[in-house]
Amino acid sequence: MNGSVQAPGAEGSRLLVRGRPRGDTLVDVTPERAGWRYVGFSAHRIAPGGTLDGQTGERELCAVVLGGRCGFAAGDQRFDDVGGRASPFDGPPHAVYVPPRTAYRIAARDGALEVALGTAPASRGAAARVIAPEAMRTEVRGTGAMERRIHHILMEDAAAESLLVTEVLTPAGHWSSYPPHKHDTDDPPRETALEETYYHRLRRPDGFALQRVYTADGSLDETIAARDGDVVLVPRGYHTVSAPPGYDLYYLNVMAGPRRRWLVTFDPSHDWLRR
């Protein structure tokens, strides 16, 4: 069942989607497989000179170059020389936004390419475009063992209809998405309801990350060991991530819900840490 949502058993969690270490499709999560309405996610490896073709249909798409360079066609638009970082740990990414009802082709340049695709429902979307690293808002959030670096790829300050996309680099031994927070209730301006995927990559691929997803009433409470290339689904509840000593962690978040705003509530038991 690699690349699909796991049934309970040896892996122990319906929230865990194991990645494939080899092959063209590294991981693939559709809304139907996740059992939710909005977010789709996949990651792909394209061989040198190879291509990946697709059609957005009634969804918008954000392609994030994880490593390598590509040419990108979206409808009648052509974007050359997109990308450049060697891995997710080598600086902010290039990304491409593609609106609904648009054919696209991604062509690997100068070697192998790894690219992640996040999708969400859209009726109109926005204009197809490259999102360059210098156009992204970056920040260092938290202090001490809670410090991490964030690249805001397609958040509320960038045009789209449903998608929110960001990536986070967490140093070994640090906690991230911390203090635990949630966004499962449509109650702005306090909180918005957003489904979310965490795509985990590790600088040393033999390592692991720990992610906890839980609700206040205890109806959901899972702690998951995510390996390099795995996806953790967050359909509801508070969530947080830990990078064990020795293992720098990257994760890519794709979020979407009934409204395109990122408003969260922190677990009141741990909110004192923000002060």
Side-chain angles (χ1 to χ4, degrees), residues 153-165:
I153 299 168
L154 190 73
M155 295 300 284
E156 295 166 81
D157 52 353
E161 185 173 334
S162 297
L163 274 172
L164 295 165
V165 182

Side-chain angles (χ1 to χ4, degrees), residues 40-175:
F41 179 82
S42 62
H44 306 266
R45 181 182 293 116
I46 305 174
T51 61
L52 175 67
D53 294 272
Q55 165 65 245
T56 56
E58 300 305 309
R59 302 178 69 80
E60 60 185 355
L61 177 147
C62 182
V64 179
V65 178
L66 300 169
R69 294 181 182 275
C70 66
F72 205 111
D76 59 1
Q77 298 191 61
R78 302 292 183 272
F79 307 116
D80 295 321
D81 199 26
V82 178
R85 65 180 180 178
S87 80
F89 297 93
D90 297 308
H94 282 77
V96 179
Y97 172 85
V98 185
R101 296 176 294 282
T102 304
Y104 62 88
R105 167 171 283 189
I106 308 170
R109 302 270 194 261
D110 307 323
L113 174 77
E114 289 192 1
V115 62
L117 308 179
T119 69
S123 57
R124 299 177 304 280
R129 66 193 187 278
V130 172
I131 306 168
E134 56 269 20
M136 295 175 191
R137 181 167 52 89
T138 64
E139 68 171 301
V140 174
R141 186 177 295 171
T143 59
M146 295 185 288
E147 183 177 299
R148 63 273 196 194
R149 182 174 181 83
I150 301 171
H151 303 147
H152 296 285
I153 299 168
L154 190 73
M155 295 300 284
E156 295 166 81
D157 52 353
E161 185 173 334
S162 297
L163 274 172
L164 295 165
V165 182
T166 193
E167 65 178 24
V168 181
L169 291 103
T170 306
H174 284 213
W175 286 75

